[in-house]
Amino acid sequence: MKHLLQDLLQHSLAALQGDGTLPGDLEAEIHLERTRDAAHGDFATNLAMTLCKPAGSKPRDLAGKLVAALPPSEFVKRVEIAGPGFINFTLTADAWHRTLDQILEAGDAYGRSDLGGKQPVQVEFVSANPTGPLHVGHGRGAAYGAAVADLLAAVGFSVHREYYVNDAGRQMDILAASVYLRYLELCGEEFAFPSNGYKGDYVWDIGATLHRNHGDAWRVSTDELYADVPADAPEGDKEAHIDGLIARIQSRLGPERYREVFDAGLNEILANIRQDLKEFGVEYDEWFSERSLTEQSLVEAAIARLQEAGYLYQQEGATWFRSTDFGDEKDRVVVRDNGQKTYFASDIAYHMNKLERGFARVIDVWGADHHGYVPRVKAALQALGDDIDRLDVLLVQFAILYRGGEKVQMSTRSGEFVTLRELRQEVGNDAARFFYVMRKCEQHLDFDLDLAKSQSSDNPVYYIQYAHARVCSVLRQMQEKGMQWDRARGREHLHLLHESHEQSLMINLSRYPEVVETAALNHEPHQLAHYLRDLANDFHTYYNAHQFLVGDEKLRDARLNLILATRQVIANGLGLLGVSAPESM
């Protein structure tokens, strides 16, 4: 309906441009909003107020001319001018009836559009370091990123879903050292495990696999290993301690054996992550390796470009990027004094590579703790001469898990956390996917396990799925009673749907394409989640107030058209959020 009204207004604009009322080269944006008060019609536009200056006219006078130039439409019942120049549209019942037929005709495609024009967009999300299993915090980024990608695809963008695998760098070296130290424990060595190492049981499991494969062949005396390594906390510096251990392990094992230890941790954990995400309904088009940036000399290429542009300088043996020239709070190191490239250098190269691959827009979904990283990445892209408007960074706040009213503490390093797999096993994929996107990504999320598992109207995902299942139940009852649904007869008698509950439901169904479009363009899947809850509420209210399988077959088929359209929209919306639409509950 919104697009139909926009077309009518576009015709009116063309007429006023033709008679000289408006400049011929004027390009106007037509904004239509649904009214909050039915007394003001169904839709309203402020078009006359936005164009009064180029028209040299008072808003109400221009509104009158726009209304007079509107072509007739069987779907517009009344057009009125209100306030300083708003144009209010009241639609006919046929308009809402047309929506029902469109839903039943389009089926799974209802709500989808070609708005994006196949514009290539990359969405990179989760990208958790493969240093441990995915936990409930990562789950929110997964559910949110997947929903954003699916919504963009639904409105016509060509979406490339990507996971950036941090398979290089210091954190992975800490994991490798942790795995090797667990291996040494199984060899019979005794020592104090580093406070900065990874302590989860999964690390012990990887060390055990290493020991099964090599026995004690790779054993090194820990007295020798720890000799001259800086003291650990609290007496010493935990960072210097773990770095010293990493260097000593690398030296004692040699490049080939160290790489095998490194890859043992990486491959095991990455395989676990892949499995978790697949079972969570999250699929990727590409798993991009950070290591490949170095192997293809892309990091060096990015640094060289910054050097040529004059944005690098040397200080205390390190190479610095002048990010303050672009609004960052301080300059950033890209090459340490020991010659190692920083994470930031890899990120510059990665984003340079993204834009070089031809994506019109690049969307990064990061944890909120990376907020300070945004200006430095954009500064680097700007220094490289790239268009920073092509990059959007969406920050996802932490998900705080509650069980029995108690907050669950989480720490990947200590190994004390609830994994995404454990969460899915406890509440199911559907509840997890839906709960994760119920709020704006920048808002903190309190994840109530008890609510997610409850089968009540307070549980939004259960409430919505139950609406879908109830429609399926009506169809089963219809078959049991020997009745047949005739869609064409239902369409011919939609005028019989005059109950207030029916009117509310039809109007709400017509909103679905607009909700999908808005949720996609604003990267706000919570809008769709809230819409589905409202739609389910309208349906349950209707279900509780009226019988559908009535004796009058004309009314019965009209009502079946309505509830089957409702079922279709619920299924479509849940699908975009990665949630199933069960036929029975």
Side-chain angles (χ1 to χ4, degrees):
M1 288 301 103
K2 190 173 184 179
H3 292 303
L4 176 117
L5 295 177
Q6 287 174 329
D7 288 343
L8 294 178
L9 286 167
Q10 194 64 56
H11 185 282
S12 182
L13 283 173
L16 295 189
Q17 287 177 309
D19 67 15
T21 302
L22 290 171
D25 59 353
L26 181 67
E27 294 185 5
E29 288 191 31
I30 301 173
H31 295 287
L32 276 159
E33 300 293 338
R34 288 183 182 258
T35 61
R36 296 186 178 183
D37 186 347
H40 299 151
D42 298 303
F43 287 90
T45 180
N46 63 347
L47 184 62
M49 290 180 280
T50 63
L51 298 181
C52 60
K53 184 174 290 186
S57 172
K58 294 180 180 179
R60 282 189 67 92
D61 293 342
L62 180 58
K65 294 177 182 178
L66 285 167
V67 171
L70 285 170
S73 171
E74 61 181 309
F75 301 117
V76 178
K77 180 179 180 180
R78 185 170 59 253
V79 184
E80 297 174 315
I81 301 170
F86 288 103
I87 301 174
N88 296 340
F89 293 88
T90 300
L91 303 184
T92 63
D94 284 343
W96 311 123
H97 299 163
R98 179 173 181 258
T99 296
L100 292 187
D101 212 40
Q102 288 176 329
I103 296 170
L104 294 174
E105 186 67 32
D108 294 344
Y110 181 70
R112 294 180 174 271
S113 69
D114 58 1
L115 177 70
K118 297 300 180 183
Q119 188 178 34
V121 175
Q122 185 217 46
V123 183
E124 182 233 319
F125 59 107
V126 184
S127 299
N129 287 342
T131 54
L134 296 179
H135 55 62
V136 295
H138 298 131
R140 189 178 188 191
Y144 174 74
V148 167
D150 288 349
L151 282 164
L152 287 170
V155 297
F157 290 92
S158 179
V159 180
H160 183 85
R161 300 159 178 84
E162 189 157 302
Y163 189 115
Y164 180 54
V165 181
N166 299 101
D167 52 5
R170 183 169 178 267
Q171 291 306 316
M172 293 305 299
D173 283 328
I174 294 175
L175 174 68
S178 302
V179 167
Y180 182 67
L181 290 172
R182 291 306 189 198
Y183 161 83
L184 290 179
E185 286 181 334
L186 291 167
C187 291
E189 294 292 328
E190 296 182 1
F191 54 90
F193 197 84
S195 61
N196 217 20
Y198 287 98
K199 302 180 180 67
D201 289 342
Y202 63 92
V203 178
W204 190 94
D205 292 338
I206 300 169
T209 300
L210 205 63
H211 189 259
R212 283 193 298 272
N213 292 339
H214 300 285
D216 289 1
W218 291 7
R219 180 174 183 174
V220 174
S221 166
T222 47
D223 290 339
E224 175 190 351
L225 196 65
Y226 276 71
D228 301 325
V229 170
D232 199 357
E235 295 80 9
D237 184 333
K238 64 180 182 179
E239 304 294 348
H241 178 70
I242 194 68
D243 287 341
L245 275 176
I246 291 169
R248 190 63 61 85
I249 291 169
Q250 289 173 333
S251 173
R252 293 299 180 270
L253 286 177
E256 290 185 8
R257 286 184 174 183
Y258 180 75
R259 181 63 176 262
E260 186 171 335
V261 173
F262 186 102
D263 286 348
L266 167 66
N267 294 337
E268 178 68 23
I269 294 172
L270 190 58
N272 186 286
I273 289 173
R274 285 176 180 265
Q275 180 182 350
D276 265 357
L277 290 171
K278 184 176 182 180
E279 291 177 358
F280 198 38
V282 177
E283 301 276 359
Y284 289 90
D285 299 297
E286 184 171 356
W287 295 72
F288 190 99
S289 164
E290 178 188 355
R291 191 184 291 173
S292 71
L293 295 171
T294 301
E295 293 171 347
Q296 297 175 31
S297 301
L298 294 178
V299 180
E300 289 78 1
I303 291 174
R305 281 181 59 182
L306 291 174
Q307 183 70 54
E308 291 170 6
Y311 292 114
L312 299 184
Y313 65 91
Q314 304 294 317
Q315 183 175 305
E316 298 178 353
T319 303
W320 295 72
F321 165 54
R322 299 183 188 277
S323 55
T324 51
D325 287 1
F326 302 93
D328 196 7
E329 60 183 2
K330 62 180 181 180
D331 292 343
R332 308 291 176 175
V333 176
V334 290
V335 183
R336 298 189 182 93
D337 55 6
N338 62 4
Q340 287 186 342
K341 311 295 192 305
T342 62
Y343 282 121
F344 180 44
S346 294
D347 281 337
I348 296 172
Y350 179 45
H351 283 83
M352 178 183 75
N353 172 266
K354 288 186 181 192
L355 297 181
E356 286 177 347
R357 278 187 269 162
F359 296 113
R361 287 175 57 216
V362 167
I363 298 173
D364 291 346
V365 179
W366 291 350
D369 54 334
H370 286 73
H371 67 91
Y373 216 72
V374 178
R376 72 185 77 167
V377 170
K378 290 194 173 184
L381 291 177
Q382 196 169 353
L384 290 170
D386 289 317
D387 181 5
I388 61 173
D389 290 336
R390 290 167 64 191
L391 171 64
D392 290 323
V393 180
L394 309 177
L395 298 176
V396 179
Q397 279 289 355
F398 302 106
I400 303 172
L401 189 66
Y402 287 86
R403 180 184 286 111
E406 296 293 326
K407 181 179 177 181
V408 179
Q409 300 296 330
M410 293 186 296
S411 170
T412 307
R413 188 66 57 82
S414 69
E416 297 175 359
F417 56 86
V418 177
T419 66
L420 176 59
R421 187 171 299 178
E422 290 169 336
L423 175 70
R424 293 191 297 107
Q425 289 171 347
E426 184 165 351
V427 305
N429 271 6
D430 288 341
R433 288 289 299 260
F434 193 89
F435 271 57
Y436 273 134
V437 298
M438 282 198 307
R439 303 189 69 181
K440 287 186 177 181
C441 66
E442 63 266 25
Q443 293 179 324
H444 282 282
L445 175 68
D446 292 341
F447 197 115
D448 187 335
L449 285 169
D450 299 323
L451 178 60
K453 292 185 290 184
S454 69
Q455 296 185 357
S456 71
S457 59
D458 293 330
N459 180 349
V461 67
Y462 177 84
Y463 191 63
I464 296 165
Q465 289 179 318
Y466 188 41
H468 184 275
R470 268 185 153 177
V471 178
C472 295
S473 175
V474 171
L475 294 183
R476 288 193 294 270
Q477 293 174 36
M478 178 186 71
Q479 292 175 348
E480 291 169 1
K481 294 180 179 182
M483 297 176 175
Q484 297 291 327
W485 168 52
D486 187 324
R487 176 182 158 191
R489 184 167 57 204
R491 181 175 60 244
E492 292 172 8
H493 296 91
L494 290 175
H495 62 277
L496 299 175
L497 302 179
H498 51 71
E499 298 286 351
S500 60
H501 297 125
E502 294 164 337
Q503 297 296 313
S504 296
L505 195 52
M506 283 190 286
I507 291 172
N508 212 353
L509 287 170
S510 74
R511 292 179 53 230
Y512 178 71
E514 301 160 35
V515 173
V516 171
E517 182 178 308
T518 302
L521 297 181
N522 294 320
H523 312 134
E524 294 183 342
H526 74 276
Q527 291 197 27
L528 178 55
H530 293 172
Y531 166 81
L532 291 173
R533 176 64 189 268
D534 290 342
L535 181 63
N537 185 66
D538 281 351
F539 171 77
H540 287 305
T541 302
Y542 181 37
Y543 182 95
N544 294 332
H546 299 280
Q547 292 292 321
F548 303 143
L549 302 178
V550 294
D552 183 344
E553 60 185 16
K554 297 175 182 177
L555 177 60
R556 180 175 70 233
D557 285 336
R559 286 182 171 175
L560 287 171
N561 278 23
L562 175 55
I563 67 171
L564 284 167
T566 303
R567 182 182 70 165
Q568 186 67 64
V569 168
I570 290 174
N572 291 359
L574 287 175
L576 290 176
L577 299 181
V579 179
S580 70
E583 295 188 1
S584 62
M585 296 180 70

